[in-house]
Amino acid sequence: MDVQEKKKLDIDLWIIFIISMLVMGIYMVFNKQINSIAYNPNINIVLRVMFMGILFQFGLAGLGITVVSIIRKESFFSYGLTKKNLLLTIGLTILCCLPDFVYNFFAGNVHAWFPFSDVNLTKQVVASGFPSNVFGMLIIALCWGFFEGFNYVVIAEKISQRYPSKYRFWDWGAFVCAVMCILIHGAIGVTPDAIFEMLSTMFLIYGMLIVRKITGNAWGCVLIFFLYWNAL
């Protein structure tokens, strides 16, 4: 890889990082005011989901990679949104979920399956009636489902291109994304329970990205956030 290509990748990663940190910083500084809007029952639920989903969830996990893709004229499909090896990808990705599921089962964290049920606004959206519930769930699926999973795919790919590994099952991009997930979701600690949670989360994120690297198919990473993450 030549110096120019490395500089482009560095710029891409900095753009993603700066945009994500700006959005996170705004949310942390104005958390009270933002939540007063997000959970105000007098405001239409679709508007509240758009407010939280598009401005903050997508802003944190989606806006950066979208800006970079536009600048570089890259198609999302080039990152593995393909039918090739789909069944193999789904099967291997399910295996990546098993340690996390086992941990949460014995920790008593597993509840009835419902996609995005752990997203704070989902229950209100479902109870809002047609057509608000349809539009609301589409926004949730896009922001908390597709972009949260696909965000890891793009970031991991950029890091892996910048810092390539000669080993098949070691990938710097997958490792950094796994650490990112642990930090963002607070899955870190020194108690035995916290350590098990941290390791299972790391295995899940690292594993799904290694599966994507091996099969060339990114749908497993996306489907985890549609059907597993926030669903149990």
Side-chain angles (χ1 to χ4, degrees), residues 43-212:
I43 300 175
N44 181 275
I45 184 61
V46 175
L47 295 178
R48 287 187 280 139
V49 172
M50 290 176 65
F51 175 71
M52 290 301 294
I54 296 174
L55 291 184
F56 295 102
Q57 177 63 22
F58 171 72
L60 179 63
L63 181 58
I65 64 171
T66 302
V67 169
V68 166
S69 294
I70 292 171
I71 292 172
R72 302 301 180 197
K73 298 180 180 178
E74 296 174 340
S75 169
F76 281 171
F77 291 102
S78 66
Y79 286 91
L81 298 179
T82 175
K83 295 179 182 178
K84 184 180 179 181
N85 296 323
L86 180 59
L87 292 179
L88 175 62
T89 298
I90 291 173
L92 293 175
T93 303
I94 290 172
L95 293 178
C96 295
C97 296
L98 287 180
D100 185 76
F101 178 81
V102 170
Y103 162 76
N104 281 293
F105 180 81
F106 285 104
N109 298 329
V110 175
H111 53 73
W113 178 80
F114 189 89
F116 310 111
S117 56
D118 288 345
V119 175
N120 291 333
L121 293 172
T122 297
K123 290 181 180 178
Q124 295 179 54
V125 169
V126 172
S128 65
F130 181 83
S132 295
N133 52 8
V134 174
F135 288 121
M137 287 306 296
L138 285 174
I139 296 166
I140 288 173
L142 184 65
C143 298
W144 279 270
F146 177 80
F147 276 106
E148 185 159 2
F150 193 66
N151 194 54
Y152 287 118
V153 172
V154 177
I155 293 173
E157 179 67 16
K158 295 285 184 183
I159 294 173
S160 299
Q161 288 178 5
R162 179 62 180 85
Y163 303 100
S165 170
K166 61 182 180 180
Y167 301 105
R168 189 180 187 191
F169 295 107
W170 174 255
D171 187 273
W172 284 109
F175 176 75
V176 170
C177 285
V179 173
M180 279 171 45
C181 182
I182 290 170
L183 295 175
I184 290 171
H185 293 281
I188 189 168
V190 294
T191 64
D193 181 73
I195 291 172
F196 283 126
E197 181 181 13
M198 180 176 64
L199 291 176
S200 63
T201 301
M202 175 167 276
F203 185 88
L204 172 63
I205 302 300
Y206 187 88
M208 74 178 192
L209 291 168
I210 289 296
V211 169
R212 183 262 165 188

Side-chain angles (χ1 to χ4, degrees), residues 12-67:
D12 292 350
L13 290 168
W14 274 111
I15 290 172
I16 295 169
F17 177 78
I18 290 170
I19 289 175
S20 297
M21 289 303 100
L22 280 174
V23 173
M24 182 179 288
I26 291 170
Y27 183 80
M28 292 176 67
V29 171
F30 299 102
N31 180 266
K32 185 176 180 180
Q33 295 90 332
I34 291 168
N35 285 339
S36 69
I37 296 172
Y39 303 111
N40 185 344
N42 296 318
I43 300 175
N44 181 275
I45 184 61
V46 175
L47 295 178
R48 287 187 280 139
V49 172
M50 290 176 65
F51 175 71
M52 290 301 294
I54 296 174
L55 291 184
F56 295 102
Q57 177 63 22
F58 171 72
L60 179 63
L63 181 58
I65 64 171
T66 302
V67 169

